[in-house]
Amino acid sequence: MHPSKLELLKGNKIIIGISEVSKITGISTRQLRYWEKKGYIHSVDRSKRFREFSLDTVIKIEHMKDLLEEGFTLVAAYEKVDKKMKLFKKMKHLFINNYEGIIELEDGKAAIDFGYFNANEEEHLYFIFDESTDKSYFQAGNINNKK
DNA sequence: TTTCTTACA
DNA sequence: TGTAAGGA
């Protein structure tokens, strides 16, 4: 019922100009424009005066850059990343739709609440992680039932 | 000042 | 691909 705490990510509403994208990814503005022309990436609204890229696209660009550095051709990198992005989007969707918040535990650990663990809606699934030891694990139960 | 397209190096 | 030119 309550809105997701990850609205910004949910709608992919984080938009970045070509100059910033270039700085972030290390891909020149010339390349970015070329990649778009070839259809490897898309800007948000081409009817606008200036190009803007979504956060997902920036991530796509970073993946392509990595593959390029590994020796793949531009086309090969694009095809490979395009498949991976579909999985990435599904994963993002899954995470965003199940994320119920983050909880600080007494012992210095933190827990991400992923919502109900089973169909009975009795227990939640938590991802527990301890920064001091760098250890993490999943746990079912009810850590912090507010109210 | 920044971004855009086009075109040449 | 980089860069210059000339507008927006």
Side-chain angles (χ1 to χ4, degrees):
Chain A
M1 211 64 183
H2 59 81
S4 166
K5 297 163 188 69
L6 301 174
E7 280 305 318
L8 280 174
L9 290 177
K10 194 173 186 179
N12 200 20
K13 290 288 172 53
I14 297 178
I15 302 301
I16 309 163
I18 193 170
S19 183
E20 282 301 310
V21 172
S22 179
K23 282 182 199 165
I24 293 166
T25 62
I27 300 298
S28 69
T29 56
R30 169 77 155 94
Q31 283 174 295
L32 258 16
R33 292 187 183 103
Y34 177 71
W35 291 8
E36 189 195 25
K37 188 182 175 186
K38 299 291 277 184
Y40 302 144
I41 56 174
H42 302 285
S43 51
V44 174
D45 183 4
R46 215 56 270 282
S47 68
K48 284 189 179 175
R49 188 136 90 107
F50 300 138
R51 262 171 275 254
E52 290 172 327
F53 297 98
S54 69
L55 187 58
D56 280 1
T57 301
V58 175
I59 289 165
K60 182 176 178 177
I61 291 165
E62 286 180 326
H63 282 329
M64 284 179 67
K65 186 200 179 188
D66 289 342
L67 293 177
L68 250 30
E69 285 172 352
E70 283 175 35
F72 287 90
T73 63
L74 184 56
V75 190
Y78 159 69
E79 287 171 348
K80 201 161 180 151
V81 169
D82 208 51
K83 285 179 191 168
K84 194 168 272 185
M85 284 307 286
K86 286 174 186 168
L87 283 175
F88 171 76
K89 283 176 182 172
K90 280 181 189 171
M91 240 174 72
K92 197 178 96 170
H93 186 262
L94 190 146
F95 179 79
I96 287 172
N97 282 285
N98 291 288
Y99 175 84
E100 296 276 330
I102 189 160
I103 302 162
E104 283 192 50
L105 307 179
E106 326 72 39
D107 51 8
K109 296 192 183 97
I112 296 175
D113 186 348
F114 278 112
Y116 294 118
F117 175 66
N118 53 19
N120 296 336
E121 301 190 347
E122 290 161 350
E123 295 181 322
H124 278 222
L125 174 67
Y126 299 96
F127 181 70
I128 319 273
F129 60 99
D130 186 346
E131 281 188 64
S132 60
T133 61
D134 212 35
K135 297 244 167 120
S136 55
Y137 51 91
F138 283 96
Q139 181 179 307
N142 280 297
I143 290 182
N144 187 19
N145 262 334
K146 302 155 206 170
K147 91 173 166 191

